[in-house]
Amino acid sequence: MDTHLNRVKQNVKAWIPPTTLKRADRVKLHRLRMGHTRITHAYLLLRQEPPICSLCGSSLTVFHIIQDCAALDNLRSIFDLQSDGYDCLETPSKIVKRMSSLKKTRYYCQI
């Protein structure tokens, strides 16, 4: 079954987020891993159209923010997160890099 969660976590082993992250970052990390963030899902509650990326005009999803948005390619290369997909939400060192890179975007506070 191809679900968002299966793409993020292929096994059922316990997963513990890095303890070095602040609580707000851990909350955002869990939202990203679930694929349900305020910016990508608020439209359902507000009965609006799905959000569009303000940087490139594509449909706004968690995977788009993490991997697909061409406008964020430079930021991904600065933090050495090229073509990681959801792996960047699994490994502690990459999680810290991912959260740091997201803080440089306009999307961080809306996750």
Side-chain angles (χ1 to χ4, degrees):
M1 180 185 297
D2 186 33
T3 65
H4 175 82
L5 186 56
N6 285 340
R7 284 181 253 146
V8 174
K9 185 176 170 89
Q10 287 95 25
N11 58 47
V12 291
K13 295 178 185 173
W15 182 81
I16 300 169
T19 56
T20 57
L21 291 177
K22 293 181 179 179
R23 184 179 186 285
D25 287 340
R26 285 195 312 265
V27 169
K28 291 177 189 304
L29 173 62
H30 286 293
R31 288 178 182 161
L32 289 168
R33 286 174 53 88
M34 287 186 301
H36 293 260
T37 65
R38 281 187 224 144
I39 192 168
T40 59
H41 283 72
Y43 77 96
L44 295 170
L45 297 173
L46 301 173
R47 296 182 182 181
Q48 298 174 343
E49 293 295 316
I52 302 297
C53 179
S54 60
L55 301 173
C56 69
S58 296
S59 180
L60 190 61
T61 64
V62 169
F63 191 75
H64 177 76
I65 294 168
I66 290 173
Q67 187 65 38
D68 283 348
C69 186
L72 298 176
D73 280 345
N74 187 41
L75 194 60
R76 283 190 283 276
S77 66
I78 290 170
F79 285 92
D80 192 29
L81 293 166
Q82 296 295 64
S83 66
D84 284 332
Y86 287 107
D87 289 344
C88 64
L89 299 177
E90 191 71 29
T91 313
S93 61
K94 288 185 179 180
I95 289 171
V96 172
K97 286 182 183 181
R98 172 58 61 197
M99 297 312 285
S100 297
S101 73
L102 286 172
K103 287 178 183 176
K104 302 282 185 192
T105 70
R106 63 182 72 174
Y107 295 131
Y108 177 78
C109 62
Q110 299 174 11
I111 293 174

